[in-house]
Short mmCIF file of all heavy atoms in Angstrom, two decimals:
data_model
loop_
_atom_site.label_atom_id
_atom_site.label_comp_id
_atom_site.label_asym_id
_atom_site.label_seq_id
_atom_site.Cartn_x
_atom_site.Cartn_y
_atom_site.Cartn_z
N ASP A 34 11.32 18.23 7.34
CA ASP A 34 12.37 19.13 6.84
C ASP A 34 12.06 20.56 7.21
O ASP A 34 10.91 21.05 7.17
CB ASP A 34 12.35 19.06 5.27
CG ASP A 34 13.51 19.81 4.65
OD1 ASP A 34 14.54 20.07 5.39
OD2 ASP A 34 13.44 20.15 3.45
N ILE A 35 13.02 21.21 7.77
CA ILE A 35 12.85 22.58 8.39
C ILE A 35 13.67 23.62 7.64
O ILE A 35 14.80 23.31 7.23
CB ILE A 35 13.22 22.48 9.88
CG1 ILE A 35 12.13 21.64 10.55
CG2 ILE A 35 13.39 23.83 10.49
CD1 ILE A 35 12.39 21.43 11.97
N SER A 36 13.18 24.79 7.48
CA SER A 36 13.93 25.81 6.83
C SER A 36 14.75 26.59 7.91
O SER A 36 14.33 26.96 8.88
CB SER A 36 12.97 26.86 6.18
OG SER A 36 13.81 27.91 5.68
N PRO A 37 16.08 26.80 7.52
CA PRO A 37 16.97 27.41 8.50
C PRO A 37 16.64 28.95 8.53
O PRO A 37 17.08 29.63 9.45
CB PRO A 37 18.34 27.21 7.85
CG PRO A 37 18.11 26.81 6.51
CD PRO A 37 16.77 26.19 6.38
N ILE A 43 8.92 22.87 6.38
CA ILE A 43 8.66 23.04 4.96
C ILE A 43 8.28 21.79 4.31
O ILE A 43 7.89 21.85 3.11
CB ILE A 43 9.85 23.65 4.23
CG1 ILE A 43 11.17 22.95 4.51
CG2 ILE A 43 9.97 25.19 4.61
CD1 ILE A 43 12.31 23.53 3.67
N THR A 100 15.44 27.99 0.50
CA THR A 100 14.45 27.73 1.64
C THR A 100 14.92 26.53 2.41
O THR A 100 14.80 26.50 3.66
CB THR A 100 13.04 27.57 1.05
OG1 THR A 100 12.81 28.63 0.14
CG2 THR A 100 12.03 27.51 2.17
N ASP A 101 15.53 25.61 1.71
CA ASP A 101 15.93 24.27 2.38
C ASP A 101 17.20 24.41 3.16
O ASP A 101 17.35 23.85 4.21
CB ASP A 101 15.98 23.22 1.30
CG ASP A 101 15.81 21.83 1.91
OD1 ASP A 101 15.52 21.71 3.13
OD2 ASP A 101 15.80 20.87 1.13
N ASN A 102 18.21 25.10 2.52
CA ASN A 102 19.51 25.08 3.25
C ASN A 102 20.04 26.47 3.67
O ASN A 102 21.03 26.56 4.27
CB ASN A 102 20.57 24.30 2.33
CG ASN A 102 21.35 25.25 1.42
OD1 ASN A 102 20.86 26.22 0.98
ND2 ASN A 102 22.57 24.80 1.11
N GLU A 186 19.92 14.72 4.61
CA GLU A 186 18.68 14.86 5.20
C GLU A 186 18.27 16.31 5.61
O GLU A 186 17.11 16.60 5.78
CB GLU A 186 18.44 13.89 6.41
CG GLU A 186 19.61 13.96 7.40
CD GLU A 186 20.78 12.91 7.07
OE1 GLU A 186 21.16 12.83 5.89
OE2 GLU A 186 21.15 12.27 7.99
N TRP A 187 19.29 17.14 5.67
CA TRP A 187 18.98 18.55 6.02
C TRP A 187 18.60 19.33 4.75
O TRP A 187 18.21 20.56 4.80
CB TRP A 187 20.18 19.22 6.76
CG TRP A 187 20.32 18.75 8.22
CD1 TRP A 187 19.46 18.04 8.90
CD2 TRP A 187 21.37 19.10 9.05
NE1 TRP A 187 19.90 17.83 10.19
CE2 TRP A 187 21.13 18.44 10.30
CE3 TRP A 187 22.59 19.79 8.92
CZ2 TRP A 187 21.97 18.56 11.40
CZ3 TRP A 187 23.44 19.92 10.01
CH2 TRP A 187 23.13 19.29 11.26
N SER A 188 18.81 18.79 3.61
CA SER A 188 18.48 19.49 2.33
C SER A 188 18.14 18.50 1.25
O SER A 188 18.79 18.35 0.26
CB SER A 188 19.75 20.23 1.87
OG SER A 188 20.78 19.35 1.67
N PRO A 189 16.95 17.88 1.43
CA PRO A 189 16.50 16.86 0.49
C PRO A 189 15.76 17.22 -0.74
O PRO A 189 15.54 16.39 -1.60
CB PRO A 189 15.60 15.94 1.45
CG PRO A 189 14.97 16.96 2.32
CD PRO A 189 15.99 18.04 2.54
N LEU A 190 15.44 18.50 -0.89
CA LEU A 190 14.31 18.83 -1.80
C LEU A 190 14.85 18.88 -3.29
O LEU A 190 14.14 18.40 -4.15
CB LEU A 190 13.70 20.13 -1.42
CG LEU A 190 13.02 20.17 -0.07
CD1 LEU A 190 12.37 21.53 0.22
CD2 LEU A 190 12.00 19.07 0.07
N ILE A 334 22.84 26.08 8.69
CA ILE A 334 21.80 25.16 8.21
C ILE A 334 20.85 24.65 9.29
O ILE A 334 19.67 24.46 8.96
CB ILE A 334 22.55 23.99 7.51
CG1 ILE A 334 21.54 22.93 7.00
CG2 ILE A 334 23.51 23.26 8.44
CD1 ILE A 334 21.18 23.04 5.59
MG1 MG B 502 16.28 21.80 5.18
#
Side-chain angles (χ1 to χ4, degrees):
D34 187 21
I35 289 175
S36 174
I43 52 174
T100 310
D101 204 2
N102 91 331
E186 48 270 49
W187 286 351
S188 60
L190 299 182
I334 179 93

